[in-house]
Amino acid sequence: MECDLQEILSLLKEPKEADVKIIEKAYTFAKNVHNGQERFSGEPYFSHPFETAKILASLHLDTATIAAGLLHDIIEDTAVTEKDIRKEFGEEILNLIKGATKLGKLKYHGVERHVENLRKLFLAMARDIRVILIKLADRLHNMRTLQYVREEKRKRIALDTFEIYVPLANRLGMGYFKGELEDLVFPYLHPEQYKIVKKISREKIKESEKHLLKVKHTIETELAKDSVKPLSINKRVKRLWSLYKKLKDNEMQIERVYDLAAMRIIVENVEDCYRVLGIIHKIWKPLPGRIKDYIALPKLNGYQSLHTTVFTDKGKIVEIQIRTAKMHKEAEYGIAAHWAYKENVAKKSWVSNPKLAWVNQLLDWQKDVSNPEDFLENLRIDFFEDRVFTFTPKGDVIDLPKGSTVIDFAYAIHSAIGNKASGAKINEKFSSLDTILNNGDIVEVQTIKDKKPNIVWLKNAKTTLAKKQIKLSLKKYGYIPSDTPEKNIKNIEKIEIIIKAENRVGLLKDVASVFSEFRANIENTNSRQEGEFKIINLLFTPKNHIQFDKIKSKLENIKKVREVTSRIRL
Ligand code: MN
């Protein structure tokens, strides 16, 4: 493989000298640091980042993204450090590379395989949507070269692609990526069906080739008569995976699939779309119920186009799709297409779907900033505010509700870790157990052998799991750890007070009046005689520790009271 830099540069639209310089530098840098490394295919490793960057360049993404594509594997696979990258390429490119590296390390260890969570995680973790585009390009190239990977790993990678990357591409409206990824996955997941569908497709396409040429010619002639100038009229062949799905829905009857091969007409503007539709219907009769106006009513992922299926001569049936160049680009490249346009983004296509509200939000931001560079800088994803995704040092994901602390993290790993937790290193920094965790934190819990849970943890824990475990363990130990700070008593629900006194007339009344003085309700009380002493147990919920301290000292000052102790009730 040549890996000619020119292949990338030629994809840039009106590149500035500075952009070319950065890409050149990234190219040389990556090529050097990957020198000597090989892929499974035996090719130099550099061919992978090179192809990844080429995909990104073909999407007309910005220079930083293309450079990051070239450099995306260097943190993981070479001796280059973050410091080096920052020095050579600056913070923005470093962050893109770091994001892509982090996503590459993800393993999700849920109770089951929680695919939806993993997808969310991707979005939440990426923070910058360009990181996802880099990961998609990376995955696309890895899938294109999957045959070189060890056989037992292929199916796993294909399944991950199908469950994670395909829906992501779909969600981002990137039809081209979705389509190619699906077709790349297909032979690994369903090898038998793949062969069947491929054969059917090949035969049918061959059969229809001549006919479609004639159809194309007729359309060209008729459009010219009405002086409509299409930008292109092309045959579009249904992708294999999508054909397979359709065949399955139709009892594998290929005759019922009308859109195996379709004509796609690209025109200048929306008016022309409808004009062309009218002209087509004047030539051929449409199949009832198959005229679809996805321009007025876009699909959920924003797809826009006019579809019609017509009877051409000799009872043949052909689907025709009509759309503008912009619609086409958006259908193929989705969110990535928006970078290519300097002009205002056509928002319409995204609007109607509440599931795509976040895309709308992105587009709104884009509209607000006149400078596309600002837009890129502000492109942050905060759509999963209710969860934080954190990591073990090995890269396993622990997903927690927002506001969770190290304690929750420790118990999420294992109750034995939770019970003995003493502190943590968060992103290499020593932190206390009550530290609230943020998205992307790498947490290493530290334990002490004889450590026991502290009552205070109950207030610092957010998850039910952690709370339950703490309570269980506190009950088991049957005492309040001596390191429970007095001030934290306010965090405790119920307090039992035990008063030891020499019995005398009016003792109970004096005790009760202390509580009424502080307007504290006694929930439960009992007393018993123990030798020469009267033992009074009281259960109440203090308003705060000041109130508690005052009550306690007042009780201690009651005549004949020897000792006042307190205990936390769980
Ligand atoms: Mn890679």
Side-chain angles (χ1 to χ4, degrees):
M1 176 155 295
E2 274 302 306
C3 296
D4 184 353
L5 174 63
Q6 214 44 49
E7 286 180 45
I8 291 176
L9 296 181
S10 65
L11 290 165
L12 304 179
K13 275 185 177 174
E14 307 154 27
K16 289 188 210 113
E17 210 188 302
D19 296 323
V20 173
K21 262 197 184 142
I22 293 167
I23 293 172
E24 243 167 31
K25 188 174 172 185
Y27 172 92
T28 313
F29 192 94
K31 198 171 183 176
N32 283 336
V33 295
H34 286 300
N35 191 26
Q37 295 175 344
E38 271 184 6
R39 300 203 88 211
F40 287 112
S41 61
E43 278 186 307
Y45 191 86
F46 179 65
S47 65
H48 167 65
F50 174 79
E51 291 298 326
T52 303
K54 223 168 90 181
I55 294 168
L56 295 165
S58 70
L59 292 171
H60 304 297
L61 294 172
D62 63 318
T63 305
T65 311
I66 298 168
L70 282 163
L71 300 164
H72 81 269
D73 277 331
I74 62 172
I75 292 184
E76 200 153 7
D77 298 340
T78 76
V80 178
T81 64
E82 290 184 16
K83 224 170 140 187
D84 300 332
I85 302 169
R86 187 183 290 112
K87 198 176 130 234
E88 295 296 324
F89 298 99
E91 204 66 34
E92 183 186 11
I93 291 176
L94 171 64
N95 281 333
L96 290 172
I97 300 169
K98 267 166 70 182
T101 306
K102 200 145 71 174
L103 290 187
K105 281 186 180 161
L106 290 187
K107 282 180 282 170
Y108 191 85
H109 286 205
V111 184
E112 303 152 30
R113 295 195 67 243
H114 247 300
V115 174
E116 182 54 31
N117 271 343
L118 194 45
R119 264 178 239 140
K120 284 182 184 175
L121 166 71
F122 254 75
L123 291 171
M125 286 305 306
R127 314 287 295 163
D128 183 327
I129 226 162
R130 290 176 297 172
V131 170
I132 294 189
L133 299 177
I134 294 169
K135 287 309 289 180
L136 277 169
D138 173 39
R139 180 55 62 118
L140 186 59
H141 183 248
N142 282 333
M143 283 304 298
R144 282 176 182 167
T145 51
L146 191 61
Q147 74 264 33
Y148 301 112
V149 172
R150 276 208 317 278
E151 197 175 346
E152 63 271 21
K153 281 177 82 184
R154 287 179 208 158
K155 200 163 175 177
R156 175 78 259 152
I157 295 171
L159 190 64
D160 274 351
T161 305
F162 188 70
E163 290 183 330
I164 313 294
Y165 291 87
V166 168
L168 263 180
N170 186 40
R171 193 160 187 178
L172 297 171
M174 301 173 75
Y176 177 79
F177 274 64
K178 175 181 176 275
E180 186 174 345
L181 286 173
E182 280 173 342
D183 276 8
L184 287 167
V185 159
F186 192 7
Y188 297 101
L189 296 189
H190 308 280
E192 291 310 311
Q193 286 93 326
Y194 177 75
K195 277 183 216 148
I196 297 169
V197 172
K198 200 173 168 186
K199 190 161 167 274
I200 293 177
S201 168
R202 208 182 272 153
E203 283 166 5
K204 282 284 152 187
I205 287 164
K206 217 172 160 190
E207 227 178 271
S208 62
E209 204 115 298
K210 253 192 190 159
H211 180 63
L212 286 173
L213 265 174
K214 250 176 78 183
V215 168
K216 182 182 175 184
H217 185 73
T218 311
I219 295 172
E220 276 168 347
T221 320
E222 293 300 318
L223 292 189
K225 278 187 201 162
D226 274 288
S227 44
V228 177
K229 288 196 194 81
L231 298 172
S232 70
I233 303 177
N234 281 313
K235 184 179 76 181
R236 155 234 169 262
V237 176
K238 203 170 185 60
R239 286 202 176 266
L240 293 179
W241 176 257
S242 129
L243 175 59
Y244 170 57
K245 276 197 301 185
K246 202 139 205 186
L247 282 169
K248 266 207 321 199
D249 291 345
N250 288 285
E251 288 132 28
M252 298 306 272
Q253 303 285 305
I254 184 72
E255 290 72 28
R256 289 205 225 155
V257 179
Y258 298 133
D259 60 346
L260 172 64
M263 297 304 299
R264 185 176 282 154
I265 306 171
I266 311 281
V267 293
E268 201 97 41
N269 51 46
V270 174
E271 291 72 45
D272 278 355
C273 289
Y274 290 103
R275 274 176 75 197
V276 170
L277 184 71
I279 295 167
I280 300 283
H281 286 171
K282 227 164 58 186
I283 321 172
W284 299 297
K285 256 196 197 0
L287 224 74
R290 291 194 55 95
I291 306 166
K292 293 187 186 122
D293 185 349
Y294 295 122
I295 292 179
L297 298 165
K299 280 192 188 180
L300 288 181
N301 63 0
Y303 176 83
Q304 284 191 300
S305 194
L306 297 176
H307 291 190
T308 185
T309 307
V310 293
F311 293 104
T312 55
D313 49 64
K314 287 176 202 152
K316 288 208 164 75
I317 292 169
V318 176
E319 185 184 88
I320 292 169
Q321 304 177 345
I322 309 153
R323 57 177 80 152
T324 65
K326 193 158 164 178
M327 288 172 193
H328 182 59
K329 194 144 195 178
E330 284 190 12
E332 297 280 81
Y333 305 110
I335 196 137
H338 295 282
W339 275 276
Y341 292 105
K342 290 264 158 101
E343 55 200 277
N344 262 346
V345 173
K347 251 190 71 186
K348 217 172 100 193
S349 56
W350 305 98
V351 173
S352 48
N353 178 16
K355 278 188 201 156
L356 284 173
W358 59 279
V359 176
N360 275 322
Q361 202 181 328
L362 290 179
L363 298 181
D364 276 343
W365 291 346
Q366 189 180 32
K367 246 178 77 184
D368 287 347
V369 289
S370 44
N371 180 357
E373 300 294 317
D374 286 349
F375 169 61
L376 292 177
E377 273 191 22
N378 292 319
L379 203 52
R380 297 281 180 267
I381 310 166
D382 285 310
F383 303 103
F384 300 99
E385 284 183 340
D386 49 335
R387 307 293 294 178
V388 282
F389 296 96
T390 56
F391 299 87
T392 68
K394 280 185 186 162
D396 291 341
V397 178
I398 306 290
D399 117 48
L400 297 163
K402 198 168 185 183
S404 290
T405 61
V406 174
I407 293 169
D408 296 295
F409 184 95
Y411 277 101
I413 295 176
H414 198 281
S415 59
I417 305 279
N419 286 338
K420 293 184 184 340
S422 62
K425 268 202 221 167
I426 302 177
N427 308 324
E428 310 271 279
K429 280 192 200 103
F430 286 104
S431 313
S432 63
L433 287 171
D434 59 356
T435 310
I436 290 175
L437 298 175
N438 294 309
N439 253 331
D441 280 346
I442 298 167
V443 185
E444 188 181 346
V445 179
Q446 296 175 315
T447 56
I448 295 176
K449 200 177 153 221
D450 295 323
K451 177 96 179 157
K452 289 189 177 67
N454 188 304
I455 188 82
V456 180
W457 293 6
L458 278 179
K459 281 291 160 178
N460 295 333
K462 172 104 181 172
T463 55
T464 338
L465 173 79
K467 284 183 182 165
K468 207 175 111 189
Q469 291 295 337
I470 295 166
K471 283 182 185 172
L472 260 175
S473 152
L474 282 172
K475 273 182 188 156
K476 200 168 102 193
Y477 296 126
Y479 72 100
I480 298 154
S482 56
D483 58 347
T484 308
E486 183 80 4
K487 71 175 165 64
N488 281 305
I489 283 182
K490 67 178 173 192
N491 289 331
I492 290 142
E493 310 250 306
K494 285 191 178 93
I495 289 198
E496 187 181 8
I497 289 195
I498 304 119
I499 302 164
K500 189 177 174 187
E502 285 168 53
N503 205 1
R504 64 168 174 86
V505 175
L507 175 68
L508 285 174
K509 199 176 143 240
D510 287 350
V511 167
S513 69
V514 170
F515 284 90
S516 60
E517 185 186 340
F518 288 95
R519 294 174 192 278
N521 286 328
I522 300 171
E523 285 171 48
N524 200 356
T525 172
N526 63 65
S527 60
R528 63 182 193 279
Q529 196 69 33
E530 230 180 69
E532 54 180 310
F533 294 111
K534 182 100 176 167
I535 309 289
I536 307 166
N537 289 60
L538 293 147
L539 196 64
F540 85 113
T541 308
K543 282 202 185 78
N544 52 50
H545 83 99
I546 299 168
Q547 186 204 37
F548 172 75
D549 285 349
K550 282 185 180 159
I551 289 176
K552 204 174 167 190
S553 80
K554 280 249 171 177
L555 290 171
E556 278 162 352
N557 288 325
I558 291 174
K559 205 173 129 199
K560 302 265 179 178
V561 166
R562 288 287 185 82
E563 193 185 50
V564 179
T565 52
S566 56
R567 203 157 74 185
I568 292 130
R569 273 285 187 92
L570 297 168

